[in-house]
């Protein structure tokens, strides 16, 4: 009996050791992201970013939308490694920034460089541009949606930014629901998370060229996309000329363009999704259920889901530990 107890105790001790040891062994490879990563090395980092973002967004709320989108475009191409911030070098190959999915359209670059410069003054070579961008997207969600999620940090910056990888990785606004699901699945995100993150289209703007096919040349027999509400279509046509030389922008959610919330899903159900990829979420059987749940859920419940999905998106293929570098300037490799 005694021997049996002893064996049981030893077994339990052994299990405990494994449980304690496994994360340590894992950490020896490339450590996971951590909350409060800069608590010791740069305690002011997160608050410097927050102040910089607050100031910029109070002048122009659209910058908050821009920062959230910038983080998404960073994470989907080579992971969240700040590659979207790198400028093409003269004479060299084009960087992500110059891809039509990013240029023109992406905004918020100046806010990131400003925060970086302020941080470099107090703690040089310590805080990555990829982390600053993740903090800035979180702060924008807080300001525009009162969505307050802690975001783990410790991302390192990459040194490659490739035009072609944008084409391969970012979803185009004309994908079907099934294609969107596949695109996000390749990044480890579920269909539910894809629908939840699409709620970011409750803020910001889009250029007419991103959706004008829905107004004028939908297909051979119908000029207008039949899933688009008629009144909404008429107001969009008023802003977006048929063959306009210029490319104006419209608010993605005309009712509350600066409020990040789940109203977006109710709009989709009313045929007022702006992009094909927005409207299809409410039309396709593969995603309609998630749209319904998000439309009906309390704002705070959706906000919680959005925060968790942002944290997950923010951990896609990150560089940590000794990988990559801490860039001195966010638009240039060291
Ligand atoms: C589901 C696939 C997605 C597609 C196809 C898509 C596509 C687009 C397009 C075409 C625009 C307008 C760009 C322009 O015309 O200049 C846009 C804007 C925007 N997107 Fe997405 N997007 C997707 C998912 C996301 C996600 C996951 C986020 C963030 C979590 C996001 C955040 C935004 C924001 C905030 C804007 C407005 C940006 C601004 O006003 O500067 N999008 N998106
Ligand atoms: C055009 O779209 C309508 C509505 O979705 C559809 O019924 C019709 O078959 C389409 N026509 C062509 C030529 O694709
Ligand atoms: C990019 O970074 C890797 C390490 O992450 C390094 O081995 C490589 O030399 C760097 N390339 C350039 C062009 O700086």
């Amino acid at each position: 009996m005694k021997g049996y107890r002893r064996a049981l105790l030893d077994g339990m001790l052994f299990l405990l050791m494994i449980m304690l040891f496994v994360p340590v062994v894992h950490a020896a490879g490339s450590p996971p992201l951590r909350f409060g990563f800069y608590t010791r090395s740069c305690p002011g980092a997160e608050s410097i970013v927050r102040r910089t973002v607050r100031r910029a967004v109070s002048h122009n709320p659209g910058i908050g939308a821009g920062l959230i989108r910038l983080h998404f475009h960073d994470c989907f191409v080579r992971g969240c490694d700040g590659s979207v911030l790198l400028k093409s070098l003269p004479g060299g190959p084009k960087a992500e920034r110059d891809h039509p999915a990013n240029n023109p359209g992406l905004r918020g670059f100046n806010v990131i460089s400003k925060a970086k410069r302020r941080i470099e003054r107090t703690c040089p070579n310590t805080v990555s541009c990829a982390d600053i961008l993740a903090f800035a997207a979180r702060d924008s969600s807080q300001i525009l949606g009162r969505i307050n999620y802690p975001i783990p940090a410790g991302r390192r910056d990459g040194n490659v930014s490739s035009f072609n990888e944008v084409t391969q990785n970012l979803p185009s606004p004309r994908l079907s629901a099934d294609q969107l699901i596949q695109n996000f699945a390749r990044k480890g995100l579920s269909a539910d998370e894809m629908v939840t993150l699409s709620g970011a289209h409750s803020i910001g703007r889009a250029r007419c060229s991103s959706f004008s096919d829905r107004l004028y040349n939908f297909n051979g027999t119908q000029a207008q996309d039949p899933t688009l509400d008629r009144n909404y279509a008429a107001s969009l046509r008023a802003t977006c000329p048929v063959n306009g030389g210029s490319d104006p922008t419209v608010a993605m959610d005309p009712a509350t363009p600066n409020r990040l919330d789940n109203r977006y899903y109710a709009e989709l159900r009313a045929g007022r999704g702006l992009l094909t990829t927005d409207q299809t979420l409410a039309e396709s059987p593969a995603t309609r259920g998630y749209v319904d749940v998000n439309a009906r859920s309390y704002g705070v419940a959706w906000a919680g889901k959005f925060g968790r999905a942002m944290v997950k998106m923010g951990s896609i293929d990150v560089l940590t530990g000794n990988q990559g570098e801490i860039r001195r300037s966010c638009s240039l490799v060291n």
Side-chain angles (χ1 to χ4, degrees):
M1 198 62 188
K2 245 187 183 159
Y4 170 73
R5 269 205 196 150
R6 179 68 189 268
L8 198 69
L9 203 66
D10 279 350
M12 280 162 69
L13 265 174
F14 181 63
L15 267 177
L16 193 70
M17 292 283 286
I18 288 188
M19 281 158 62
L20 287 175
F21 207 71
V22 163
V24 176
V25 169
H26 171 76
S30 56
L33 300 175
R34 285 199 275 115
F35 293 103
F37 184 81
Y38 297 109
T39 307
R40 277 152 168 242
S41 58
C42 188
E46 291 196 43
S47 57
I48 292 174
V49 176
R50 191 177 310 119
R51 278 200 303 279
T52 311
V53 171
R54 271 187 191 288
R55 194 165 311 159
V57 174
S58 70
H59 288 302
N60 176 5
I63 293 295
L67 289 166
I68 292 172
R69 184 168 185 235
L70 204 48
H71 183 46
F72 163 51
H73 284 204
D74 185 26
C75 293
F76 265 53
V77 183
R78 273 190 180 259
C80 318
D81 67 343
S83 55
V84 73
L85 304 169
L86 291 172
K87 280 189 176 155
S88 312
L89 293 173
K94 280 192 187 173
E96 289 172 34
R97 253 174 107 146
D98 289 327
H99 192 280
N102 291 333
N103 181 21
L106 274 191
R107 44 182 175 164
F109 290 102
N110 290 341
V111 179
I112 302 301
S113 356
K114 198 173 276 182
K116 174 67 171 175
R117 280 198 301 274
R118 289 185 179 147
I119 287 173
E120 286 303 286
R121 264 181 246 142
T122 41
C123 12
N125 306 320
T126 309
V127 183
S128 69
C129 298
D131 275 344
I132 293 176
L133 185 47
F135 295 147
R138 184 268 312 273
D139 298 336
S140 301
S141 309
Q142 211 275 319
I143 300 168
L144 300 176
R146 300 188 182 181
I147 303 175
N148 210 349
Y149 56 95
I151 186 132
R155 295 168 192 77
R156 312 255 307 168
D157 296 322
N159 57 8
V160 176
S161 180
S162 149
F163 182 97
N164 288 337
E165 289 177 2
V166 177
T167 319
Q168 291 154 18
N169 291 283
L170 277 186
S172 111
R174 286 164 187 96
L175 297 188
S176 68
D178 290 331
Q179 289 170 321
L180 286 174
I181 291 173
Q182 281 171 26
N183 179 282
F184 277 63
R186 283 201 293 275
K187 305 295 171 186
L189 296 168
S190 69
D192 192 6
E193 286 164 334
M194 183 271 290
V195 172
T196 296
L197 289 168
S198 293
H201 289 175
S202 65
I203 51 173
R205 66 186 187 191
R207 284 162 298 146
C208 293
S209 57
S210 296
F211 57 83
S212 54
D213 51 331
R214 303 185 69 200
L215 306 175
Y216 298 114
N217 48 355
F218 178 65
N219 72 16
T221 53
Q222 276 185 292
Q224 187 185 307
D225 183 341
T227 62
L228 186 61
D229 172 78
R230 288 177 154 274
N231 293 330
Y232 185 41
S235 82
L236 291 173
R237 271 195 300 272
T239 315
C240 301
V242 196
N243 288 317
S246 68
D247 193 2
T249 60
V250 303
M252 297 191 93
D253 174 357
T256 51
N258 300 322
R259 196 178 309 149
L260 179 57
D261 62 9
N262 66 337
R263 263 283 294 274
Y264 166 81
Y265 303 97
E267 297 292 327
L268 295 187
R269 299 211 306 176
R272 287 193 292 268
L274 184 59
L275 307 175
T276 299
T277 42
D278 293 318
Q279 194 57 50
T280 195
L281 300 179
E283 310 299 328
S284 165
T287 46
R288 192 188 296 149
Y290 301 120
V291 169
D292 291 346
V293 169
N294 286 345
R296 278 197 307 266
S297 85
Y298 287 107
V300 286
W302 175 77
K305 265 176 93 173
F306 184 80
R308 284 190 294 279
M310 284 293 278
V311 169
K312 197 157 163 196
M313 185 179 90
S315 65
I316 297 171
D317 296 338
V318 288
L319 304 172
T320 61
N322 298 324
Q323 301 169 316
E325 61 184 20
I326 303 295
R327 247 176 250 158
R328 279 188 285 275
S329 154
C330 289
S331 56
L332 295 168
V333 299
N334 290 346

